[in-house]
Amino acid sequence: MSTTVDREIAAARDLLDRYGAAYAAAEDGPVPVEDIAESYLGLLVNLAPLEDGVSGMLLLREREIRVNAVECELWPRRRRFTVAHEIGHWELHATEVADGFICRLGDVAESGAKGSPEQIREREANRFAAELLMPEARVRSSVEESSPDVAAQADRFEVSQLSMAWRLFNLGYLRRPPKASEYAAG
């Protein structure tokens, strides 16, 4: 029986493999997402005063990722997810638009199976980011070593508890979809 892997998951795994080969990166601990952006991909990561509801943006011509400075101060681990998400746009969607991507909450909202092209790109970038920051093989190994404890795994991978809860749910370790109100912010 063969398993099909979505392109965004395959792209994240490929990027981790390329980065690991180039930098002899460790296969455990938090993924060095900003080093991947800056040292490997040549994308400058900057904090910026972005409007409410905008977590980050990728400026293609400038090869720059801008991350919402206020969000980073309030929720430091969100910065890692935002950077990984923008790397996802770089790897998956850079040829689809001319200028770049501005990631707004409304573009990520669920709207059925289809959605607008922006919503589809945002979901793909989110799935890419989840695989980049919380690679399936590493998460499974970590859960086998210890447990599917959301807070402990979030700490281990330096991601928000909500992100880890969704990852654990999608990998079959949690029985019901997580609710934001059940986990520590950011």
Side-chain angles (χ1 to χ4, degrees), residues 31-40 43 45 79-80 83 87:
V31 171
V33 68
E34 287 197 39
D35 192 54
I36 291 171
E38 294 186 334
S39 298
Y40 187 71
L43 300 170
V45 177
R79 174 185 177 128
R80 289 175 42 78
V83 171
I87 291 172

Side-chain angles (χ1 to χ4, degrees), residues 136-150:
E136 180 177 353
R138 289 188 196 184
V139 171
R140 289 191 186 283
S141 175
S142 182
V143 167
E144 287 173 18
E145 282 178 24
S146 56
S147 73
D149 178 81
V150 172

Side-chain angles (χ1 to χ4, degrees), residues 2-71:
S2 80
T3 302
T4 303
V5 176
D6 293 332
R7 77 181 189 111
E8 59 271 18
I9 303 303
R13 290 175 182 172
D14 179 63
L15 177 58
L16 277 173
D17 288 346
R18 292 187 337 250
Y19 175 79
Y23 289 92
E27 300 242 345
D28 62 348
V31 171
V33 68
E34 287 197 39
D35 192 54
I36 291 171
E38 294 186 334
S39 298
Y40 187 71
L41 296 174
L43 300 170
L44 183 63
V45 177
N46 280 317
L47 293 179
L50 303 178
E51 66 186 70
D52 286 344
V54 176
S55 294
M57 60 176 46
L58 171 64
L59 304 172
L60 293 169
R61 284 184 240 153
E62 293 85 347
R63 297 183 68 97
E64 180 181 0
I65 294 171
R66 292 188 185 162
V67 183
N68 187 314
V70 173
E71 283 186 5

Side-chain angles (χ1 to χ4, degrees), residues 42-137:
L43 300 170
L44 183 63
V45 177
N46 280 317
L47 293 179
L50 303 178
E51 66 186 70
D52 286 344
V54 176
S55 294
M57 60 176 46
L58 171 64
L59 304 172
L60 293 169
R61 284 184 240 153
E62 293 85 347
R63 297 183 68 97
E64 180 181 0
I65 294 171
R66 292 188 185 162
V67 183
N68 187 314
V70 173
E71 283 186 5
C72 289
E73 186 175 326
L74 293 172
W75 308 292
R77 290 183 178 183
R78 184 177 285 185
R79 174 185 177 128
R80 289 175 42 78
F81 197 90
T82 299
V83 171
H85 175 97
E86 299 306 332
I87 291 172
H89 283 310
W90 178 263
E91 291 287 300
L92 297 167
H93 309 126
T95 60
E96 297 173 13
V97 298
D99 295 330
F101 298 90
I102 299 174
C103 300
R104 294 181 174 85
L105 291 174
D107 293 333
V108 182
E110 294 294 328
S111 67
K114 292 199 174 200
S116 70
E118 292 82 14
Q119 289 170 322
I120 292 167
R121 282 193 291 262
E122 292 303 312
R123 283 193 295 272
E124 288 176 342
N126 276 346
R127 293 189 68 217
F128 176 98
E131 181 65 27
L132 187 66
L133 291 173
M134 301 166 277
E136 180 177 353

